[in-house]
Amino acid sequence: MRPGAVVTAVAVVTLSLLAYVYVGDSSDTMSGLTIDGIKFPPSIKMGGPQLQLVGGGTRLKYNVAKVYAAAVYMHKSGSASAMKQFRDVPSPALRKKADFYRSLVAGRFGKALVLIFHRSVAAATVVEALRDSLASRLSRSSLATFREHLLSALGSQVPKGSQLYFSCRADTMHFALDSPQRAAPLNDKTLCSALFDVYLGSSPVSPAIKEGVADGFAARFGSTVDA
């Protein structure tokens, strides 16, 4: 094979791999987490207890364009019993533990999902994308109610840099745009677990976000943290 052809072949293979694998650029400090240039605070509060940062990653469109970075938060003491068995598991093993993700998804302790947008997006586009992801996880009536309430909260446009908050406690979800203190409640016992399953279930919309949560839990909630 000619040298030029070898270079071309290597480039094609490399680009093909990049289309399917995205690691992202994140830096972790005591003051929070930066994911692909977007900063997440170490804790948030949405009308209930203080929620501590776990971890997250980036949501891509067509495996190339960055749409938003997402991070999961949870109530540390409230989740202690449900998540205790995972505190000694290192992150490489935790990434592969389906029961870890199931416990986080189904847990009735306080938790939140925060999306911060890399680009301006029409509110209808955001809502329809979430609706499509939730369609197989919710009843028609729950799906319609979620869509209606979220569209009302977002307005017509989600500008670049917007922060979209979803917090859950027991059977109630609160969501807000930019200000977590102005969160609107939606009572539905199936909604919280369904939304978290979109990101942490067996077929996540972003593997990077799911793996980032496992890595963050090991780093922030692992047994060595309190040692």
Side-chain angles (χ1 to χ4, degrees):
M1 183 179 288
R2 300 191 315 276
V6 172
V7 173
T8 301
V10 171
V12 169
V13 171
T14 302
L15 288 172
S16 297
L17 289 173
L18 288 174
Y20 292 96
V21 179
Y22 180 77
V23 176
D25 178 21
S26 64
S27 59
D28 200 343
T29 68
M30 292 299 291
S31 60
L33 177 66
T34 299
I35 303 173
D36 285 327
I38 291 181
K39 296 180 180 180
F40 289 85
S43 64
I44 60 172
K45 188 174 177 62
M46 291 185 68
Q50 197 85 5
L51 303 179
Q52 285 73 40
L53 174 67
V54 182
T58 296
R59 172 74 166 107
L60 301 178
K61 184 176 182 180
Y62 306 127
N63 291 313
V64 177
K66 299 172 186 176
V67 182
Y68 57 77
V72 169
Y73 290 75
M74 70 181 185
H75 187 212
K76 191 167 187 176
S77 61
S79 64
S81 177
M83 307 302 292
K84 181 180 180 180
Q85 61 180 307
F86 307 110
R87 294 190 66 205
D88 294 322
V89 183
S91 60
L94 200 59
R95 285 184 176 196
K96 302 174 183 178
K97 290 187 73 66
D99 53 340
F100 162 70
Y101 295 110
R102 283 195 296 266
S103 296
L104 218 169
V105 167
R108 291 170 62 81
F109 46 81
K111 57 191 174 186
L113 175 70
V114 181
L115 314 181
I116 304 181
F117 287 79
H118 277 283
R119 59 186 63 228
S120 180
V121 185
T125 300
V126 175
V127 173
E128 292 309 315
L130 287 172
R131 188 198 71 82
D132 290 346
S133 296
L134 288 165
S136 62
R137 297 171 169 90
L138 292 173
S139 67
R140 287 186 179 182
S141 60
S142 293
L143 195 61
T145 301
F146 172 78
R147 180 182 181 278
E148 177 186 350
H149 280 70
L150 188 56
L151 267 175
S152 176
L154 297 184
S156 61
Q157 194 75 12
V158 179
K160 177 181 178 180
S162 293
Q163 302 171 23
L164 180 54
Y165 297 84
F166 299 94
S167 74
C168 294
R169 276 187 298 156
D171 295 336
T172 302
M173 172 181 283
H174 291 77
F175 49 86
L177 184 65
D178 292 330
S179 175
Q181 300 303 321
R182 296 199 301 268
L186 181 56
N187 295 313
D188 187 317
K189 63 182 181 180
T190 63
L191 186 53
C192 285
S193 59
L195 180 64
F196 275 81
D197 189 66
V198 167
Y199 292 89
L200 304 178
S202 58
S203 300
V205 295
S206 170
I209 295 173
K210 182 177 178 177
E211 292 179 355
V213 168
D215 294 346
F217 181 90
R220 296 182 177 84
F221 292 78
S223 57
T224 57
V225 175
D226 299 326

